[in-house]
Amino acid sequence: MANQSSSQPILCASFNQDNSCFVIGTRDGFKIFHCETGKLLHERVIGAFIIIEMLYRSSLLAIVGAGEQPSLSPRRLCLFNTIKGTALRELNFLTSIVGVRVSRKRLIVVLQEQTYIYDVNSLEIKRVIDTVPNLKGLCAFSASTDNPYLALPASTIKGSVLVYNVIDLQSHCEIHAHRSPLAAMAFSSNGMYIATASEQGTIIRVHLISEATKSYSFRRGTYPSTIFSLSFGPSADLPDILLATSSSGSVHIFSLGFDLNERTRKSNSFFGSIMPGSVSDALDPTQHLVFHNAFAAGVKRNAVVRKIEKASGTSMSDPVALRATVSVITFSGYFQVYSFRINHKHEASWTLEHEVNLLTAVAEQRASC
């Protein structure tokens, strides 16, 4: 996730594929942190970067410079080894790189009107996809071996999504998700579902990839807002929740993996008595919980749901029915860990558990993620 504004100290920030580590880019270089502890694991002061992607917890980084010095051109992708401190390979392009994604088998490079798919080991070009103008580098990528999908905007005037299988190298489907252009997309950890938001930011939709059908439609709010991030809860099947952060400073949590039968939903759903049904609730019986002023308004952030814990049954002896751990990187320079809890009485809480200043953090010892 690249930040085009120079007013905030962090230029880019991203979590790795299993959300165990994250990396930030500043005008001085990059830093790698551990999500569980917030500790700084690796730091290198070599210049400004606008894109940095990790490959799980390996020593490989895919980095793109901000162009503030000749060696860090925004048209050059460098595969960097953090242990050796050297560049392994470099890929040069005619136009600026606006997005990068990586998995154990594929390297994705997004340009403004083309997307390159590489074999990550040999760096052989497997396919070049001509795309609509994509100046912000909007894309979503599933690192799942079973559902290795890449999602790209399919239109500049409406919210259509092209879903491409990066292993079979075939277009899988096109999803017409919104009436206005796309602003955010995210796959579930298993690659089975994709969440989308438009530039209006009022409606968030979830589609089942295998059938290209809409599974859920959520009304986030009435007034337009920029969606900063979307994140599903980790799950081997249907995720329990979807989390969205926006420029308004609110955090929105939507219920997914519950019985949608009307009678069961009213009595057993965790979210059933928290918030009245929205406009979209009449079409899709889903639930929505919002925490207003959870963050500072206008500050860009990247948030992921790292853990989900659920209590079995509805015994009142266990006060917590669902607990989620949410990790947040703010582009103002902080890493925050929040705990979202909801009990069997349908009472919810959103609590800041831990905060780290990313700009002043110092590594305790040389370590790798």
Side-chain angles (χ1 to χ4, degrees):
M1 177 184 291
N3 178 31
Q4 301 300 323
S5 172
S6 60
S7 62
Q8 296 180 342
I10 293 181
L11 302 182
C12 63
S14 65
F15 292 89
N16 66 350
Q17 291 80 359
D18 59 8
N19 296 329
S20 60
C21 296
F22 66 93
V23 60
I24 65 168
T26 68
R27 297 206 174 277
D28 297 322
F30 63 81
K31 295 181 176 182
I32 300 173
F33 294 83
H34 193 279
C35 277
E36 192 71 36
T37 62
K39 290 183 178 179
L40 176 62
L41 302 175
H42 184 87
E43 178 180 12
R44 187 161 290 270
V45 180
I46 51 177
F49 294 95
I50 54 170
I51 297 174
I52 308 177
E53 292 289 325
M54 300 181 66
L55 178 60
Y56 289 92
R57 285 176 282 186
S58 73
S59 59
L60 180 67
L61 293 181
I63 57 179
V64 178
E68 296 185 356
Q69 54 197 86
S71 61
L72 297 177
S73 168
R75 297 187 299 274
R76 178 181 299 125
L77 172 68
C78 174
L79 297 179
F80 190 85
N81 185 300
T82 57
I83 295 178
K84 297 180 179 179
T86 58
L88 301 176
R89 288 284 300 274
E90 291 184 345
L91 299 173
N92 293 285
F93 300 88
L94 296 178
T95 60
S96 295
I97 301 167
V98 291
V100 174
R101 297 291 186 271
V102 63
S103 71
R104 290 191 173 100
K105 291 189 175 182
R106 292 290 186 254
L107 170 66
I108 311 299
V109 181
V110 182
L111 307 182
Q112 293 182 1
E113 296 187 3
Q114 287 183 315
T115 295
Y116 284 73
I117 301 175
Y118 290 86
D119 180 280
V120 77
N121 296 305
S122 67
L123 292 187
E124 173 190 0
I125 297 177
K126 306 302 290 186
R127 187 61 56 91
V128 180
I129 305 172
D130 292 324
T131 66
V132 300
N134 187 10
L135 304 185
K136 296 181 179 179
L138 179 62
C139 67
F141 185 44
S142 167
S144 166
T145 55
D146 295 325
N147 300 293
Y149 295 122
L150 170 69
L152 296 164
S155 173
T156 58
I157 59 175
K158 58 183 180 180
S160 296
V161 184
L162 171 66
V163 180
Y164 198 89
N165 188 310
V166 300
I167 299 299
D168 296 340
L169 302 176
Q170 297 289 334
S171 175
H172 177 74
C173 65
E174 184 172 328
I175 298 172
H176 303 289
H178 303 273
R179 295 180 180 177
S180 55
L182 295 167
M185 298 187 290
F187 281 105
S188 58
S189 58
N190 55 23
M192 295 174 61
Y193 295 87
I194 187 170
T196 61
S198 73
E199 292 180 349
Q200 291 294 315
T202 54
I203 300 291
I204 294 172
R205 293 195 167 98
V206 176
H207 288 78
L208 177 63
I209 295 297
S210 61
E211 300 177 8
T213 55
K214 183 181 72 174
S215 299
Y216 299 91
S217 184
F218 304 96
R219 178 168 291 279
R220 182 208 57 81
T222 304
Y223 298 100
S225 183
T226 300
I227 302 299
F228 286 149
S229 64
L230 296 169
S231 176
F232 288 96
S235 174
D237 192 18
L238 177 65
D240 293 294
I241 62 172
L242 171 67
L243 181 140
T245 64
S246 70
S247 57
S248 68
S250 299
V251 60
H252 299 260
I253 300 173
F254 307 99
S255 169
L256 293 170
F258 304 111
D259 191 339
L260 298 183
N261 176 271
E262 185 70 19
R263 180 177 298 177
T264 304
R265 183 167 63 95
K266 286 183 178 179
S267 60
N268 293 340
S269 170
F270 297 148
F271 292 80
S273 65
I274 295 177
M275 192 172 211
S278 64
V279 173
S280 62
D281 191 39
L283 300 176
D284 296 296
T286 54
Q287 301 297 324
H288 174 199
L289 176 63
V290 57
F291 292 96
H292 295 289
N293 303 314
F295 309 114
V299 177
K300 188 176 180 179
R301 66 196 73 251
N302 189 0
V304 297
V305 183
R306 292 191 54 244
K307 295 180 182 178
I308 292 285
E309 300 174 74
K310 292 189 295 182
S312 59
T314 57
S315 171
M316 297 305 293
S317 61
D318 189 344
V320 178
L322 183 144
R323 179 187 295 107
T325 300
V326 179
S327 295
V328 181
I329 308 168
T330 75
F331 280 66
S332 58
Y334 290 90
F335 173 67
Q336 301 166 329
V337 177
Y338 287 88
S339 177
F340 163 65
R341 293 181 176 89
I342 189 164
N343 63 21
H344 292 294
K345 295 181 179 180
H346 312 299
E347 298 166 336
S349 64
W350 174 261
T351 307
L352 177 63
E353 302 288 350
H354 186 56
E355 184 176 72
V356 175
N357 187 322
L358 300 176
L359 304 178
T360 60
V362 177
E364 295 181 0
Q365 59 184 6
R366 292 185 63 87
S368 61
C369 187

